[in-house]
Amino acid sequence: MNYTNNNSNRPIAIGLDHGFGNMKTAHCCFQSGVTVHEKEPTFKRNLLIYEGRYYTIGDEHKSFMPDKASDEDYYILTLAGIACELKSRGLTSARVFLGAGLPLTWVSEQKDTFKAYLLQKPSADFSFRGTDYHVEFAGAEIYPQGFAAIADRISEFRGVNMLCDIGNGTMNVMLIRNGRPIPSQCYTEKYGVHQCVLAVREKLMQKFGTTVDDGVIEDVLRYGKADIGEKYHTVIRACAAEYAEGIMKHLREHEYNPELMRLYVMGGGSCLIRNFAKYDPNRVTINSDICATAKGYERLAEAALRKIGGAA
């Protein structure tokens, strides 16, 4: 097959944020669901073909799991993410060096296993969205989730700061004092956006005896509104406000004091704080870039490549 190659053949750093809700790279975001087909499906818009099997990417979110290497889904999602990044660079063939991550308190125990999982094969040939790709893996590094997004400017975090990274499955909390993370005050909780969606579903069923598509619920959480009746809006907004207060309560349990420290909120769930929480905008920073962590992984991977003599 004819591939568009990286002419220098030097490794390209690609950051991948393997979320339970969404896969993110520096330039793209798509839902983390993977549906496997034994035969080619009718609808092929997000079809990935690998080793004779067919995978539809992104029809739904992935369920929470405490070990991301326990099935093949995140490997398939990794290939899809790489394809998106190569397409953005006009390439279909390259050597890649992966930057990825895990929740803060999972890194020490799971990073070696997850790295081996991502590098399980030296190369991969696959097709995604009708384009053929050839990828050779030059290595990978695993970083702490959330922290990677601010690692290049952590020296700016003077005084006491609390970092809160809210994903679909987990919420990661880190205390930073004068630009230095405090390892003993890092926490990972199963309190992601999906928990809010579940609460909304239950409340809507209780009040109206009906179900509402998760995409509609997520639109209200993300943008504050959706194309639905006001009575549904009211219930969803009330649940979201309760959940946002729950986030603040969890932070207070980890010694967050808005008068003594600044709060930096990021991740897909940052929209809940922005849209529904009560906070002082002078002391709370909200980073709404859902790809911020993936970009951080990529910056760190580029630095790792330079250190070992490669080039990104």
Side-chain angles (χ1 to χ4, degrees):
M1 296 182 182
N2 294 320
Y3 293 106
T4 305
N5 293 282
N6 175 25
N7 293 330
S8 68
N9 202 35
R10 293 174 178 172
I12 295 172
I14 292 180
L16 297 160
D17 182 2
H18 297 79
F20 294 109
N22 298 286
M23 275 291 293
K24 285 84 67 177
T25 70
H27 298 96
C28 69
C29 172
F30 53 89
Q31 287 186 310
S32 294
V34 177
T35 304
V36 187
H37 312 273
E38 293 303 325
K39 297 181 179 179
E40 187 172 15
T42 301
F43 300 104
K44 306 178 180 63
R45 180 173 177 271
N46 290 312
L47 183 65
L48 187 146
I49 305 172
Y50 175 62
E51 294 190 338
R53 303 189 77 186
Y54 301 89
Y55 304 87
T56 298
I57 305 298
D59 278 354
E60 56 189 15
H61 297 308
K62 185 168 175 58
S63 300
F64 175 85
M65 53 196 301
D67 181 1
K68 293 186 178 184
S70 62
D71 63 24
E72 72 169 351
D73 286 2
Y74 278 114
Y75 188 77
I76 298 302
L77 291 166
T78 295
L79 297 182
I82 291 171
C84 289
E85 279 300 302
L86 292 184
K87 182 178 180 179
S88 74
R89 305 173 196 218
L91 301 172
T92 55
S93 177
R95 294 177 65 216
V96 301
F97 187 94
L98 302 178
L102 291 166
L104 293 172
T105 59
W106 297 10
V107 176
S108 58
E109 291 189 6
Q110 297 186 20
K111 66 178 180 180
D112 291 339
T113 300
F114 195 48
K115 180 176 178 178
Y117 171 83
L118 295 176
L119 300 177
Q120 59 186 265
K121 294 185 179 180
S123 64
D125 292 281
F126 61 98
S127 172
F128 185 51
R129 294 174 176 165
T131 300
D132 294 323
Y133 294 92
H134 172 74
V135 174
E136 296 178 7
F137 295 101
E141 289 293 340
I142 309 300
Y143 304 104
Q145 187 173 309
F147 172 73
I150 62 167
D152 63 329
R153 54 191 183 87
I154 194 169
S155 62
E156 300 172 10
F157 285 66
R158 308 312 301 166
V160 181
N161 294 263
M162 182 167 279
L163 171 69
C164 178
D165 178 17
I166 308 168
N168 196 64
T170 61
M171 179 175 77
N172 291 277
V173 179
M174 171 186 285
L175 194 71
I176 301 170
R177 185 181 297 121
N178 288 325
R180 299 184 63 181
I182 309 302
S184 63
Q185 292 181 273
C186 294
Y187 311 94
T188 298
E189 299 189 27
K190 188 181 177 183
Y191 200 68
V193 178
H194 186 59
Q195 302 303 309
C196 181
V197 173
L198 292 177
V200 171
R201 279 189 207 162
E202 182 177 356
K203 184 62 71 173
L204 290 169
M205 181 58 69
Q206 289 174 357
K207 289 190 70 70
F208 306 120
T210 189
T211 59
V212 175
D213 186 88
D214 283 358
V216 172
I217 296 172
E218 290 167 6
D219 278 347
V220 178
L221 302 184
R222 187 176 295 115
Y223 307 114
K225 60 183 179 179
D227 188 15
I228 55 175
E230 185 55 35
K231 67 178 183 180
Y232 298 105
H233 262 135
T234 300
V235 170
I236 297 173
R237 285 197 294 259
C239 284
E242 183 177 344
Y243 177 80
E245 175 52 34
I247 292 174
M248 305 306 288
K249 178 176 181 292
H250 278 257
L251 295 181
R252 290 192 293 271
E253 290 172 353
H254 294 307
E255 302 184 7
Y256 170 59
N257 184 329
E259 295 184 353
L260 298 177
M261 61 186 68
R262 293 184 179 275
L263 179 63
Y264 188 96
V265 185
M266 56 176 296
S270 64
C271 58
L272 286 161
I273 301 300
R274 184 184 67 243
N275 294 330
F276 302 103
K278 297 178 181 178
Y279 64 92
D280 180 356
N282 294 315
R283 298 193 61 78
V284 177
T285 299
I286 298 178
N287 184 345
S288 299
D289 182 0
I290 197 170
C291 296
T293 293
K295 292 174 182 176
Y297 293 154
E298 191 159 300
R299 287 192 295 269
L300 292 171
E302 287 170 350
L305 266 178
R306 289 192 294 270
K307 187 175 181 179
I308 62 177

